[in-house]
Amino acid sequence: MDQAILETVSSGAYIMGAPVRELERQLAAYVGVRHCLTCANGTDALTLALKTWGVGPGDAVFVPDFTFFSSAEVVALEGATPVFVDVREDTFNLDPADLERAVQAILREGKLTPRVIIAVDLFGLPANYPEIRTVADRYGLYILEDGAQGFGGTFRGKRACGFGDISTTSFFPAKPVGCYGDGGAVFTDHDEWAALIDSYRVHGKGAFKYDNVRIGLNSRLDTVQAAILQVKLKAFEAYELEAVNLAAAQYTALLKDVVATPSLPEGFGSSWAQYTLRLKDKTQRDSLQAALKADGVPSMIYYPKPMHLQTAFASCHSEQSEESLCPVATSLCDRVLSLPMHPYLTEEQIRSVAKAVRNHLS
Ligand SMILES: *Cc1c(COP(=O)(O)O)cnc(C)c1O
């Protein structure tokens, strides 16, 4: 890692140096798609996809109610309307049945045009793409896979960041593959969209650098981050993904008789961005977190507030009918707790975390 950083710094190619293109080739090959275009962060990656599809005012974009703010923020930033969809209790991911209900409700109201479904691979687990694709095809919608937490996840041998018409990821340090700062990437099999993304990420550049043909962003991945990510990707493939899966299996074996542990549906593989328990209610969750803290065990609440209750989206409420206020997502926000999870946890650490959880719950 030190060598990768020092070589980049002494090369002087700080922006769009050779490691950026090399990394893009490696990421595209890993995921199994034709094009990977890196950018400044996972939020910009989503914005680049929406710009490529010309999403804007009057468009409805369907977003899970239980996710990080970015997934919905980018929709509003383009002037389109985020429509919040409930998630499944067992996977934390978009509920395909509620998705179809939401699309039909928007069509019935007749004010917005349904355009895109943003499916999030929450906590490392890919969303239910076979069922989401059925809904997308039925209503002519694009799927944008927000794989910010999903890189390394699988469904029947196919890898995350290859499920959307366009897919994105983030290299924020806490994600499955993190760099030493901010970073992101966009993936697609579509040649024309890839060319548009490449233009939008550099000020809407045309064929000639100083003739800009559209309004874009300044959203590049720094060369030094690309060099760091090349090292990290190697470790991720060689042993880190396996290590987090082993850690998750150990937690589950030690905890499943006392608490609802995360489920891994048939055919799915997770990259365990988080290992998230579901408690009975807010009282039990909050007291468990306090007890863990007293035992010196860090834990986090991802996420304490659903999208439809975010202050910034207060004005979107009028677009949502009463029935669409996402009861499952709202309840999960009161009951979830994420335990320490990374590839370098020792078996002893996992045992001591599990013991602290069991002590409190039993
Ligand atoms: C982290 C995250 C993002 C945003 O990524 P940044 O690189 O922080 O901009 C988007 N969506 C989800 C689900 C995330 O977890």
PDB file of all heavy atoms in Angstrom, residues 43-77:
ATOM      1  N   THR A  43     -22.329   8.946  -4.349  1.00  0.00           N
ATOM      2  CA  THR A  43     -23.475   9.829  -4.588  1.00  0.00           C
ATOM      3  C   THR A  43     -23.414  10.381  -6.018  1.00  0.00           C
ATOM      4  O   THR A  43     -24.411  10.350  -6.755  1.00  0.00           O
ATOM      5  CB  THR A  43     -23.477  10.985  -3.568  1.00  0.00           C
ATOM      6  OG1 THR A  43     -23.375  10.423  -2.247  1.00  0.00           O
ATOM      7  CG2 THR A  43     -24.746  11.804  -3.667  1.00  0.00           C
ATOM      8  N   ASP A  44     -22.239  10.861  -6.423  1.00  0.00           N
ATOM      9  CA  ASP A  44     -22.067  11.328  -7.804  1.00  0.00           C
ATOM     10  C   ASP A  44     -22.340  10.199  -8.793  1.00  0.00           C
ATOM     11  O   ASP A  44     -22.877  10.435  -9.884  1.00  0.00           O
ATOM     12  CB  ASP A  44     -20.634  11.841  -8.036  1.00  0.00           C
ATOM     13  CG  ASP A  44     -20.427  13.251  -7.513  1.00  0.00           C
ATOM     14  OD1 ASP A  44     -21.365  13.813  -6.914  1.00  0.00           O
ATOM     15  OD2 ASP A  44     -19.317  13.783  -7.708  1.00  0.00           O
ATOM     16  N   ALA A  45     -21.950   8.985  -8.445  1.00  0.00           N
ATOM     17  CA  ALA A  45     -22.167   7.851  -9.353  1.00  0.00           C
ATOM     18  C   ALA A  45     -23.655   7.723  -9.676  1.00  0.00           C
ATOM     19  O   ALA A  45     -24.046   7.530 -10.841  1.00  0.00           O
ATOM     20  CB  ALA A  45     -21.636   6.564  -8.714  1.00  0.00           C
ATOM     21  N   LEU A  46     -24.515   7.864  -8.641  1.00  0.00           N
ATOM     22  CA  LEU A  46     -25.967   7.807  -8.853  1.00  0.00           C
ATOM     23  C   LEU A  46     -26.435   8.991  -9.705  1.00  0.00           C
ATOM     24  O   LEU A  46     -27.245   8.837 -10.623  1.00  0.00           O
ATOM     25  CB  LEU A  46     -26.697   7.824  -7.500  1.00  0.00           C
ATOM     26  CG  LEU A  46     -26.512   6.589  -6.611  1.00  0.00           C
ATOM     27  CD1 LEU A  46     -26.989   6.884  -5.189  1.00  0.00           C
ATOM     28  CD2 LEU A  46     -27.255   5.389  -7.185  1.00  0.00           C
ATOM     29  N   THR A  47     -25.905  10.178  -9.406  1.00  0.00           N
ATOM     30  CA  THR A  47     -26.272  11.378 -10.171  1.00  0.00           C
ATOM     31  C   THR A  47     -25.899  11.218 -11.645  1.00  0.00           C
ATOM     32  O   THR A  47     -26.679  11.578 -12.539  1.00  0.00           O
ATOM     33  CB  THR A  47     -25.567  12.609  -9.570  1.00  0.00           C
ATOM     34  OG1 THR A  47     -26.104  12.839  -8.263  1.00  0.00           O
ATOM     35  CG2 THR A  47     -25.771  13.858 -10.414  1.00  0.00           C
ATOM     36  N   LEU A  48     -24.716  10.673 -11.902  1.00  0.00           N
ATOM     37  CA  LEU A  48     -24.277  10.478 -13.295  1.00  0.00           C
ATOM     38  C   LEU A  48     -25.249   9.565 -14.043  1.00  0.00           C
ATOM     39  O   LEU A  48     -25.557   9.800 -15.218  1.00  0.00           O
ATOM     40  CB  LEU A  48     -22.853   9.904 -13.321  1.00  0.00           C
ATOM     41  CG  LEU A  48     -21.748  10.868 -12.879  1.00  0.00           C
ATOM     42  CD1 LEU A  48     -20.436  10.118 -12.634  1.00  0.00           C
ATOM     43  CD2 LEU A  48     -21.540  11.973 -13.915  1.00  0.00           C
ATOM     44  N   ALA A  49     -25.751   8.535 -13.372  1.00  0.00           N
ATOM     45  CA  ALA A  49     -26.708   7.623 -14.015  1.00  0.00           C
ATOM     46  C   ALA A  49     -28.009   8.353 -14.333  1.00  0.00           C
ATOM     47  O   ALA A  49     -28.550   8.225 -15.445  1.00  0.00           O
ATOM     48  CB  ALA A  49     -26.975   6.424 -13.099  1.00  0.00           C
ATOM     49  N   LEU A  50     -28.520   9.135 -13.368  1.00  0.00           N
ATOM     50  CA  LEU A  50     -29.792   9.844 -13.590  1.00  0.00           C
ATOM     51  C   LEU A  50     -29.648  10.873 -14.714  1.00  0.00           C
ATOM     52  O   LEU A  50     -30.558  11.046 -15.526  1.00  0.00           O
ATOM     53  CB  LEU A  50     -30.267  10.509 -12.291  1.00  0.00           C
ATOM     54  CG  LEU A  50     -30.644   9.552 -11.155  1.00  0.00           C
ATOM     55  CD1 LEU A  50     -31.060  10.334  -9.907  1.00  0.00           C
ATOM     56  CD2 LEU A  50     -31.757   8.588 -11.568  1.00  0.00           C
ATOM     57  N   LYS A  51     -28.493  11.557 -14.766  1.00  0.00           N
ATOM     58  CA  LYS A  51     -28.259  12.540 -15.838  1.00  0.00           C
ATOM     59  C   LYS A  51     -28.217  11.842 -17.195  1.00  0.00           C
ATOM     60  O   LYS A  51     -28.731  12.354 -18.193  1.00  0.00           O
ATOM     61  CB  LYS A  51     -26.959  13.308 -15.593  1.00  0.00           C
ATOM     62  CG  LYS A  51     -27.069  14.362 -14.507  1.00  0.00           C
ATOM     63  CD  LYS A  51     -25.867  15.307 -14.545  1.00  0.00           C
ATOM     64  CE  LYS A  51     -25.975  16.379 -13.464  1.00  0.00           C
ATOM     65  NZ  LYS A  51     -27.154  17.238 -13.592  1.00  0.00           N
ATOM     66  N   THR A  52     -27.586  10.676 -17.231  1.00  0.00           N
ATOM     67  CA  THR A  52     -27.471   9.923 -18.481  1.00  0.00           C
ATOM     68  C   THR A  52     -28.850   9.576 -19.042  1.00  0.00           C
ATOM     69  O   THR A  52     -29.063   9.593 -20.251  1.00  0.00           O
ATOM     70  CB  THR A  52     -26.632   8.648 -18.216  1.00  0.00           C
ATOM     71  OG1 THR A  52     -25.313   9.068 -17.907  1.00  0.00           O
ATOM     72  CG2 THR A  52     -26.606   7.716 -19.410  1.00  0.00           C
ATOM     73  N   TRP A  53     -29.790   9.289 -18.140  1.00  0.00           N
ATOM     74  CA  TRP A  53     -31.152   8.953 -18.565  1.00  0.00           C
ATOM     75  C   TRP A  53     -32.052  10.189 -18.671  1.00  0.00           C
ATOM     76  O   TRP A  53     -33.246  10.064 -18.947  1.00  0.00           O
ATOM     77  CB  TRP A  53     -31.787   7.950 -17.592  1.00  0.00           C
ATOM     78  CG  TRP A  53     -31.195   6.572 -17.696  1.00  0.00           C
ATOM     79  CD1 TRP A  53     -30.614   6.004 -18.790  1.00  0.00           C
ATOM     80  CD2 TRP A  53     -31.144   5.578 -16.661  1.00  0.00           C
ATOM     81  NE1 TRP A  53     -30.198   4.724 -18.503  1.00  0.00           N
ATOM     82  CE2 TRP A  53     -30.514   4.435 -17.205  1.00  0.00           C
ATOM     83  CE3 TRP A  53     -31.560   5.547 -15.327  1.00  0.00           C
ATOM     84  CZ2 TRP A  53     -30.298   3.267 -16.459  1.00  0.00           C
ATOM     85  CZ3 TRP A  53     -31.349   4.390 -14.591  1.00  0.00           C
ATOM     86  CH2 TRP A  53     -30.723   3.271 -15.161  1.00  0.00           C
ATOM     87  N   GLY A  54     -31.483  11.369 -18.413  1.00  0.00           N
ATOM     88  CA  GLY A  54     -32.270  12.593 -18.527  1.00  0.00           C
ATOM     89  C   GLY A  54     -33.428  12.665 -17.546  1.00  0.00           C
ATOM     90  O   GLY A  54     -34.489  13.216 -17.851  1.00  0.00           O
ATOM     91  N   VAL A  55     -33.228  12.115 -16.345  1.00  0.00           N
ATOM     92  CA  VAL A  55     -34.285  12.149 -15.332  1.00  0.00           C
ATOM     93  C   VAL A  55     -34.394  13.562 -14.762  1.00  0.00           C
ATOM     94  O   VAL A  55     -33.376  14.176 -14.430  1.00  0.00           O
ATOM     95  CB  VAL A  55     -33.975  11.134 -14.204  1.00  0.00           C
ATOM     96  CG1 VAL A  55     -34.951  11.282 -13.048  1.00  0.00           C
ATOM     97  CG2 VAL A  55     -34.019   9.715 -14.769  1.00  0.00           C
ATOM     98  N   GLY A  56     -35.614  14.087 -14.671  1.00  0.00           N
ATOM     99  CA  GLY A  56     -35.791  15.451 -14.188  1.00  0.00           C
ATOM    100  C   GLY A  56     -37.203  15.726 -13.717  1.00  0.00           C
ATOM    101  O   GLY A  56     -37.947  14.787 -13.398  1.00  0.00           O
ATOM    102  N   PRO A  57     -37.586  17.003 -13.674  1.00  0.00           N
ATOM    103  CA  PRO A  57     -38.908  17.381 -13.157  1.00  0.00           C
ATOM    104  C   PRO A  57     -40.038  16.622 -13.850  1.00  0.00           C
ATOM    105  O   PRO A  57     -40.005  16.412 -15.063  1.00  0.00           O
ATOM    106  CB  PRO A  57     -38.988  18.885 -13.484  1.00  0.00           C
ATOM    107  CG  PRO A  57     -37.565  19.335 -13.491  1.00  0.00           C
ATOM    108  CD  PRO A  57     -36.775  18.189 -14.047  1.00  0.00           C
ATOM    109  N   GLY A  58     -40.996  16.170 -13.049  1.00  0.00           N
ATOM    110  CA  GLY A  58     -42.132  15.425 -13.590  1.00  0.00           C
ATOM    111  C   GLY A  58     -41.928  13.915 -13.597  1.00  0.00           C
ATOM    112  O   GLY A  58     -42.852  13.155 -13.854  1.00  0.00           O
ATOM    113  N   ASP A  59     -40.686  13.478 -13.293  1.00  0.00           N
ATOM    114  CA  ASP A  59     -40.394  12.042 -13.272  1.00  0.00           C
ATOM    115  C   ASP A  59     -40.501  11.486 -11.847  1.00  0.00           C
ATOM    116  O   ASP A  59     -40.102  12.153 -10.886  1.00  0.00           O
ATOM    117  CB  ASP A  59     -38.971  11.766 -13.781  1.00  0.00           C
ATOM    118  CG  ASP A  59     -38.823  12.052 -15.263  1.00  0.00           C
ATOM    119  OD1 ASP A  59     -39.863  12.018 -15.980  1.00  0.00           O
ATOM    120  OD2 ASP A  59     -37.701  12.305 -15.714  1.00  0.00           O
ATOM    121  N   ALA A  60     -41.036  10.272 -11.753  1.00  0.00           N
ATOM    122  CA  ALA A  60     -41.069   9.570 -10.466  1.00  0.00           C
ATOM    123  C   ALA A  60     -39.954   8.538 -10.445  1.00  0.00           C
ATOM    124  O   ALA A  60     -39.778   7.779 -11.401  1.00  0.00           O
ATOM    125  CB  ALA A  60     -42.419   8.880 -10.270  1.00  0.00           C
ATOM    126  N   VAL A  61     -39.177   8.534  -9.354  1.00  0.00           N
ATOM    127  CA  VAL A  61     -38.120   7.539  -9.165  1.00  0.00           C
ATOM    128  C   VAL A  61     -38.412   6.802  -7.853  1.00  0.00           C
ATOM    129  O   VAL A  61     -38.576   7.440  -6.805  1.00  0.00           O
ATOM    130  CB  VAL A  61     -36.723   8.201  -9.133  1.00  0.00           C
ATOM    131  CG1 VAL A  61     -35.645   7.167  -8.855  1.00  0.00           C
ATOM    132  CG2 VAL A  61     -36.449   8.932 -10.447  1.00  0.00           C
ATOM    133  N   PHE A  62     -38.501   5.487  -7.933  1.00  0.00           N
ATOM    134  CA  PHE A  62     -38.896   4.670  -6.786  1.00  0.00           C
ATOM    135  C   PHE A  62     -37.658   4.276  -5.995  1.00  0.00           C
ATOM    136  O   PHE A  62     -36.699   3.737  -6.571  1.00  0.00           O
ATOM    137  CB  PHE A  62     -39.683   3.446  -7.274  1.00  0.00           C
ATOM    138  CG  PHE A  62     -40.906   3.878  -8.039  1.00  0.00           C
ATOM    139  CD1 PHE A  62     -40.844   4.125  -9.406  1.00  0.00           C
ATOM    140  CD2 PHE A  62     -42.098   4.124  -7.369  1.00  0.00           C
ATOM    141  CE1 PHE A  62     -41.954   4.590 -10.100  1.00  0.00           C
ATOM    142  CE2 PHE A  62     -43.212   4.590  -8.056  1.00  0.00           C
ATOM    143  CZ  PHE A  62     -43.137   4.818  -9.424  1.00  0.00           C
ATOM    144  N   VAL A  63     -37.680   4.571  -4.694  1.00  0.00           N
ATOM    145  CA  VAL A  63     -36.504   4.399  -3.833  1.00  0.00           C
ATOM    146  C   VAL A  63     -36.934   3.683  -2.550  1.00  0.00           C
ATOM    147  O   VAL A  63     -37.985   4.008  -1.993  1.00  0.00           O
ATOM    148  CB  VAL A  63     -35.914   5.783  -3.444  1.00  0.00           C
ATOM    149  CG1 VAL A  63     -34.619   5.630  -2.681  1.00  0.00           C
ATOM    150  CG2 VAL A  63     -35.704   6.668  -4.665  1.00  0.00           C
ATOM    151  N   PRO A  64     -36.138   2.730  -2.058  1.00  0.00           N
ATOM    152  CA  PRO A  64     -36.504   2.107  -0.786  1.00  0.00           C
ATOM    153  C   PRO A  64     -36.509   3.139   0.344  1.00  0.00           C
ATOM    154  O   PRO A  64     -35.669   4.045   0.366  1.00  0.00           O
ATOM    155  CB  PRO A  64     -35.433   1.038  -0.565  1.00  0.00           C
ATOM    156  CG  PRO A  64     -34.335   1.341  -1.517  1.00  0.00           C
ATOM    157  CD  PRO A  64     -34.902   2.158  -2.627  1.00  0.00           C
ATOM    158  N   ASP A  65     -37.446   2.968   1.277  1.00  0.00           N
ATOM    159  CA  ASP A  65     -37.591   3.898   2.391  1.00  0.00           C
ATOM    160  C   ASP A  65     -36.504   3.691   3.443  1.00  0.00           C
ATOM    161  O   ASP A  65     -36.257   4.552   4.272  1.00  0.00           O
ATOM    162  CB  ASP A  65     -38.977   3.693   3.027  1.00  0.00           C
ATOM    163  CG  ASP A  65     -39.389   4.872   3.887  1.00  0.00           C
ATOM    164  OD1 ASP A  65     -39.130   6.022   3.486  1.00  0.00           O
ATOM    165  OD2 ASP A  65     -39.970   4.646   4.967  1.00  0.00           O
ATOM    166  N   PHE A  66     -35.849   2.526   3.386  1.00  0.00           N
ATOM    167  CA  PHE A  66     -34.833   2.169   4.379  1.00  0.00           C
ATOM    168  C   PHE A  66     -33.488   2.092   3.657  1.00  0.00           C
ATOM    169  O   PHE A  66     -33.146   1.067   3.062  1.00  0.00           O
ATOM    170  CB  PHE A  66     -35.204   0.815   5.000  1.00  0.00           C
ATOM    171  CG  PHE A  66     -34.385   0.418   6.197  1.00  0.00           C
ATOM    172  CD1 PHE A  66     -34.408   1.169   7.359  1.00  0.00           C
ATOM    173  CD2 PHE A  66     -33.599  -0.733   6.179  1.00  0.00           C
ATOM    174  CE1 PHE A  66     -33.665   0.795   8.479  1.00  0.00           C
ATOM    175  CE2 PHE A  66     -32.852  -1.117   7.292  1.00  0.00           C
ATOM    176  CZ  PHE A  66     -32.891  -0.356   8.439  1.00  0.00           C
ATOM    177  N   THR A  67     -32.735   3.190   3.689  1.00  0.00           N
ATOM    178  CA  THR A  67     -31.450   3.268   2.981  1.00  0.00           C
ATOM    179  C   THR A  67     -30.695   4.491   3.484  1.00  0.00           C
ATOM    180  O   THR A  67     -31.195   5.236   4.332  1.00  0.00           O
ATOM    181  CB  THR A  67     -31.659   3.366   1.456  1.00  0.00           C
ATOM    182  OG1 THR A  67     -30.379   3.398   0.789  1.00  0.00           O
ATOM    183  CG2 THR A  67     -32.437   4.612   1.044  1.00  0.00           C
ATOM    184  N   PHE A  68     -29.472   4.685   2.963  1.00  0.00           N
ATOM    185  CA  PHE A  68     -28.739   5.916   3.249  1.00  0.00           C
ATOM    186  C   PHE A  68     -29.346   7.046   2.418  1.00  0.00           C
ATOM    187  O   PHE A  68     -29.812   6.830   1.301  1.00  0.00           O
ATOM    188  CB  PHE A  68     -27.241   5.724   2.925  1.00  0.00           C
ATOM    189  CG  PHE A  68     -26.423   6.945   3.205  1.00  0.00           C
ATOM    190  CD1 PHE A  68     -26.322   7.459   4.485  1.00  0.00           C
ATOM    191  CD2 PHE A  68     -25.771   7.601   2.181  1.00  0.00           C
ATOM    192  CE1 PHE A  68     -25.581   8.604   4.738  1.00  0.00           C
ATOM    193  CE2 PHE A  68     -25.016   8.740   2.427  1.00  0.00           C
ATOM    194  CZ  PHE A  68     -24.923   9.243   3.707  1.00  0.00           C
ATOM    195  N   PHE A  69     -29.328   8.246   2.958  1.00  0.00           N
ATOM    196  CA  PHE A  69     -29.968   9.435   2.372  1.00  0.00           C
ATOM    197  C   PHE A  69     -29.663   9.630   0.880  1.00  0.00           C
ATOM    198  O   PHE A  69     -30.528  10.014   0.092  1.00  0.00           O
ATOM    199  CB  PHE A  69     -29.538  10.670   3.172  1.00  0.00           C
ATOM    200  CG  PHE A  69     -30.253  11.933   2.803  1.00  0.00           C
ATOM    201  CD1 PHE A  69     -31.630  12.039   2.932  1.00  0.00           C
ATOM    202  CD2 PHE A  69     -29.542  13.025   2.313  1.00  0.00           C
ATOM    203  CE1 PHE A  69     -32.290  13.214   2.593  1.00  0.00           C
ATOM    204  CE2 PHE A  69     -30.190  14.202   1.976  1.00  0.00           C
ATOM    205  CZ  PHE A  69     -31.574  14.297   2.117  1.00  0.00           C
ATOM    206  N   SER A  70     -28.403   9.361   0.480  1.00  0.00           N
ATOM    207  CA  SER A  70     -27.969   9.574  -0.915  1.00  0.00           C
ATOM    208  C   SER A  70     -28.901   8.975  -1.953  1.00  0.00           C
ATOM    209  O   SER A  70     -29.130   9.573  -2.999  1.00  0.00           O
ATOM    210  CB  SER A  70     -26.617   8.896  -1.155  1.00  0.00           C
ATOM    211  OG  SER A  70     -25.581   9.670  -0.728  1.00  0.00           O
ATOM    212  N   SER A  71     -29.383   7.755  -1.682  1.00  0.00           N
ATOM    213  CA  SER A  71     -30.179   7.018  -2.670  1.00  0.00           C
ATOM    214  C   SER A  71     -31.367   7.846  -3.144  1.00  0.00           C
ATOM    215  O   SER A  71     -31.804   7.723  -4.283  1.00  0.00           O
ATOM    216  CB  SER A  71     -30.706   5.696  -2.092  1.00  0.00           C
ATOM    217  OG  SER A  71     -29.707   4.993  -1.416  1.00  0.00           O
ATOM    218  N   ALA A  72     -31.922   8.676  -2.245  1.00  0.00           N
ATOM    219  CA  ALA A  72     -33.083   9.489  -2.597  1.00  0.00           C
ATOM    220  C   ALA A  72     -32.691  10.943  -2.872  1.00  0.00           C
ATOM    221  O   ALA A  72     -33.317  11.615  -3.694  1.00  0.00           O
ATOM    222  CB  ALA A  72     -34.106   9.438  -1.453  1.00  0.00           C
ATOM    223  N   GLU A  73     -31.641  11.398  -2.211  1.00  0.00           N
ATOM    224  CA  GLU A  73     -31.173  12.786  -2.380  1.00  0.00           C
ATOM    225  C   GLU A  73     -30.899  13.115  -3.848  1.00  0.00           C
ATOM    226  O   GLU A  73     -31.289  14.180  -4.360  1.00  0.00           O
ATOM    227  CB  GLU A  73     -29.878  12.965  -1.575  1.00  0.00           C
ATOM    228  CG  GLU A  73     -29.217  14.311  -1.714  1.00  0.00           C
ATOM    229  CD  GLU A  73     -27.886  14.358  -0.954  1.00  0.00           C
ATOM    230  OE1 GLU A  73     -27.205  13.314  -0.856  1.00  0.00           O
ATOM    231  OE2 GLU A  73     -27.541  15.433  -0.460  1.00  0.00           O
ATOM    232  N   VAL A  74     -30.234  12.182  -4.544  1.00  0.00           N
ATOM    233  CA  VAL A  74     -29.833  12.416  -5.937  1.00  0.00           C
ATOM    234  C   VAL A  74     -31.052  12.628  -6.841  1.00  0.00           C
ATOM    235  O   VAL A  74     -30.972  13.369  -7.819  1.00  0.00           O
ATOM    236  CB  VAL A  74     -28.976  11.245  -6.474  1.00  0.00           C
ATOM    237  CG1 VAL A  74     -27.649  11.195  -5.756  1.00  0.00           C
ATOM    238  CG2 VAL A  74     -29.701   9.907  -6.372  1.00  0.00           C
ATOM    239  N   VAL A  75     -32.160  11.989  -6.489  1.00  0.00           N
ATOM    240  CA  VAL A  75     -33.394  12.115  -7.279  1.00  0.00           C
ATOM    241  C   VAL A  75     -33.909  13.544  -7.166  1.00  0.00           C
ATOM    242  O   VAL A  75     -34.200  14.210  -8.169  1.00  0.00           O
ATOM    243  CB  VAL A  75     -34.456  11.113  -6.774  1.00  0.00           C
ATOM    244  CG1 VAL A  75     -35.769  11.308  -7.522  1.00  0.00           C
ATOM    245  CG2 VAL A  75     -33.951   9.681  -6.897  1.00  0.00           C
ATOM    246  N   ALA A  76     -34.003  14.025  -5.930  1.00  0.00           N
ATOM    247  CA  ALA A  76     -34.497  15.383  -5.690  1.00  0.00           C
ATOM    248  C   ALA A  76     -33.549  16.421  -6.285  1.00  0.00           C
ATOM    249  O   ALA A  76     -33.981  17.442  -6.818  1.00  0.00           O
ATOM    250  CB  ALA A  76     -34.675  15.601  -4.189  1.00  0.00           C
ATOM    251  N   LEU A  77     -32.242  16.133  -6.231  1.00  0.00           N
ATOM    252  CA  LEU A  77     -31.250  17.069  -6.780  1.00  0.00           C
ATOM    253  C   LEU A  77     -31.447  17.266  -8.287  1.00  0.00           C
ATOM    254  O   LEU A  77     -31.195  18.357  -8.814  1.00  0.00           O
ATOM    255  CB  LEU A  77     -29.838  16.543  -6.503  1.00  0.00           C
ATOM    256  CG  LEU A  77     -28.697  17.540  -6.611  1.00  0.00           C
ATOM    257  CD1 LEU A  77     -28.846  18.685  -5.620  1.00  0.00           C
ATOM    258  CD2 LEU A  77     -27.363  16.842  -6.381  1.00  0.00           C
TER     259      LEU A  77
END
